[in-house]
């Protein structure tokens, strides 16, 4: 019974975090930290710092990763599942509503005009992401070379995106291990 | 067709979740690879629209995008299959890694992988931007490209330089303003369909 209550509390907490934080993972991290450390005392500040580092070094959405890590610390794997599901419930209800409307009304003039504007905003988001990722992602000649290589492989459609990422990771692992030894 | 579509949605977005590094910002090329190139579920343009909506709603961008595409393919079950697929790699990897959190955070192999994944992720999103430019920033009719470019520059300026209380402005706001401007330009007869 107690564990059920714990899980319910985890779910409700992450339901609220997921449902009311716009702006992706980086906007969610401070909210998750506040709720998990200060409001509920589920993890201490040091553990939270470790969790944030971990969620950034695992694939997937950073907010979901952080939620799953907090859930694991509190209640093991069921905790992770409950927290991740909490994070996605309300946003998906909204996605459902918008997708339903999109399906019904996408032929209307007003909707088409609106998406003309939205596409311009999306194009800008892609450039924005590029600018934001460049600074922390390309810091030295080696990373510059991997950056240039992956741009070329993708623009000329040489390899699928997953292979580009895997190759870059493999080269970098080899490079950093060799550099350590010598 | 249904069960198979659900399975494809789950697997496709499992792969998207597994290969998204550094958060949802960089997930677009992976979504394009799965939903457009591999399965031909939607056109490039519609995926861009969906990505824009997904960015403006609360929650994780990748999960929202997956749910939206899943819904358009196979209704509510599709939405569930796609979004569960997206979070599954996170759940598996994080709940295992959380038990060895200090070891994982200190691991030289993981640090090394990210040393390479960070520039490669930047590279794939840069390639998406470059391809977009080579395709003429999208609108096919020539008389639409000037208003489009103006809205694009305005959006980018707002995202990069406009601050509210020291923080970048909410993407939802940019998307909403651009939607309104699009409607205004449309009814003013400046853009054509």
């Amino acid at each position: 019974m107690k564990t059920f209550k714990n899980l319910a509390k985890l779910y409700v907490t992450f339901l609220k975090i997921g449902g009311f934080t716009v702006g992706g993972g980086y906007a969610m991290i401070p909210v998750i930290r506040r709720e998990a450390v200060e409001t509920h005392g589920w993890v201490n500040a040091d553990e939270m710092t470790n969790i944030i580092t971990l969620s950034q070094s695992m694939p997937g959405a950073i907010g979901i990763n952080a939620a799953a890590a907090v859930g694991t610390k509190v209640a093991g794997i069921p905790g992770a599942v409950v927290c991740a599901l909490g994070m996605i419930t309300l946003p998906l209800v909204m996605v459902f509503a918008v997708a339903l409307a999109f399906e019904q009304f996408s032929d209307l003039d007003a909707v088409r005009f609106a998406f003309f504007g939205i596409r311009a905003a999306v194009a800008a988001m892609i450039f924005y992401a590029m600018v934001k990722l460049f600074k922390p992602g390309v810091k030295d000649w080696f990373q510059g070379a991997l950056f240039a290589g992956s741009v070329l492989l993708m623009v000329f459609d040489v390899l699928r995106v997953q292979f580009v990422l895997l190759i870059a990771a493999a080269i970098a692992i080899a490079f950093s291990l060799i550099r350590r030894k010598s | 067709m249904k069960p198979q579509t659900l399975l494809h949605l789950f697997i496709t977005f499992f792969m998207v979740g597994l290969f998204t590094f550094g958060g949802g910002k960089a997930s677009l090329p992976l979504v394009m690879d799965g939903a457009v190139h591999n399965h031909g579920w939607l056109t490039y343009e519609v995926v861009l629209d969906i990505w824009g909506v997904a960015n403006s709603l609360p929650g994780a961008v990748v999960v929202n995008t997956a749910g939206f595409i899943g819904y358009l393919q196979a209704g509510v079950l599709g939405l569930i299959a796609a979004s569960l697929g997206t979070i599954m790699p996170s759940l598996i990897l994080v709940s295992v890694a959380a038990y060895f959190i200090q070891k994982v955070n200190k691991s030289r192999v993981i640090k090394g992988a990210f040393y390479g994944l960070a520039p490669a992720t930047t590279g794939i999103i840069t390639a998406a931007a470059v391809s977009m430019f080579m395709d003429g920033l999208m609108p096919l009719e020539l008389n639409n490209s000037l208003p489009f470019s103006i809205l694009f520059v305005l959006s980018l300026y707002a995202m990069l330089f406009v601050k509210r209380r020291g923080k970048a402005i909410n993407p939802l706001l940019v998307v909403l303003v651009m939607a309104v401007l699009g409607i205004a330009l449309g009814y003013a007869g400046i853009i054509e369909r």
Side-chain angles (χ1 to χ4, degrees):
Chain A
M1 199 55 207
K2 192 171 164 273
T3 49
F4 178 76
K5 247 187 179 168
N6 272 343
L7 290 178
K9 197 176 243 177
L10 282 172
Y11 183 79
V12 172
T13 304
F14 283 97
L15 186 78
K16 284 189 262 178
I17 299 174
F20 300 103
T21 318
V22 187
Y26 290 99
M28 286 174 194
I29 292 291
V31 188
I32 295 176
R33 181 199 287 273
R34 197 183 60 220
E35 288 290 317
V37 178
E38 286 158 34
T39 312
H40 294 285
W42 284 324
V43 292
N44 64 40
D46 289 342
E47 284 172 319
M48 195 62 211
T49 307
N50 281 334
I51 285 175
I52 293 168
T53 310
L54 179 77
S55 17
Q56 287 170 332
S57 61
M58 289 286 133
I62 291 170
I64 307 280
N65 289 347
V70 171
T72 310
K73 286 272 169 200
V74 180
I77 290 172
V81 173
V82 159
C83 289
L85 290 180
M87 287 287 279
I88 67 173
T89 307
L90 290 178
L92 285 177
V93 171
M94 290 182 236
V95 164
F96 166 69
V98 175
L100 196 70
F102 183 83
E103 226 181 15
Q104 301 288 316
F105 304 120
S106 62
D107 284 339
L108 295 182
D109 275 357
V111 175
R112 290 196 177 181
F113 292 145
F115 271 104
F116 181 85
I118 292 173
R119 254 177 228 176
V122 172
M125 274 177 200
I126 295 170
F127 281 79
Y128 174 77
M130 181 180 91
V131 172
K132 284 287 150 182
L133 291 171
F134 193 85
K135 218 175 170 186
V138 187
K139 285 183 183 156
D140 53 28
W141 67 266
F142 180 77
Q143 288 188 311
L146 287 182
F147 167 76
S150 29
V151 173
L152 292 175
L153 289 175
M154 288 300 292
V155 167
F156 294 107
D157 219 359
V158 183
L159 281 176
R160 279 182 70 179
V161 56
Q162 293 87 348
F163 292 113
V164 175
L165 293 171
L166 284 179
I167 292 169
I171 296 174
I173 292 170
F175 179 77
S176 48
L177 293 180
I178 292 164
R179 193 170 54 174
R180 262 298 174 85
K181 271 192 195 134
S182 57
Chain B
M1 71 106 191
K2 275 287 160 68
Q4 215 181 352
T5 314
L6 294 181
L7 188 64
H8 282 160
L9 282 166
F10 184 87
I11 293 171
T12 300
F13 284 101
F14 186 95
M15 295 300 280
V16 171
L18 187 60
F19 281 96
T20 295
F21 296 100
K25 269 204 291 274
S27 63
L28 186 66
L30 289 146
V31 176
M32 289 291 182
D33 180 76
V36 180
H37 301 136
N38 204 19
H39 287 287
W41 283 325
L42 298 162
T43 64
Y44 177 77
E45 285 82 4
V46 172
V47 174
L48 284 179
D49 294 347
I50 291 172
W51 203 63
V53 173
N55 262 285
S56 347
L57 293 174
V61 177
V62 211
V63 181
N64 292 350
T65 308
F68 204 126
I69 294 175
Y71 177 80
L72 293 184
Q73 286 327 109
V76 174
L77 287 179
L79 181 150
I80 293 171
S83 44
L84 289 184
T86 315
I87 66 168
M88 199 56 76
S90 292
L91 273 178
I92 297 170
L93 294 171
V94 171
S95 53
V96 172
Y99 288 106
F100 315 99
I101 191 159
Q102 262 146 354
K103 251 190 200 152
V104 174
N105 282 347
K106 282 194 191 121
S107 155
R108 286 217 309 257
V109 172
I110 291 184
K111 275 196 191 132
F114 263 80
Y115 181 58
L117 287 168
T121 301
T122 316
I124 63 172
I125 195 83
T126 302
V130 170
S131 314
M132 195 182 248
F133 244 103
M134 295 200 307
D135 295 342
L137 271 177
M138 259 131 35
L140 300 171
E141 308 91 84
L142 195 63
N143 54 347
N144 280 351
S145 59
L146 181 65
F148 188 89
S149 309
I150 293 171
L151 294 188
F152 165 75
V153 171
L154 276 178
S155 308
L156 191 58
Y157 178 82
M159 287 173 198
L160 284 176
F161 301 115
V162 179
K163 303 266 188 247
R164 254 169 62 204
R165 282 183 244 117
K167 281 160 73 178
I169 56 169
N170 199 322
L172 173 63
L173 195 66
V174 179
V175 170
L176 278 181
V177 170
M178 289 306 137
V180 171
L181 286 178
I183 293 172
L185 289 175
Y187 282 112
I190 296 171
I191 53 174
E192 285 165 21
R193 293 195 280 125

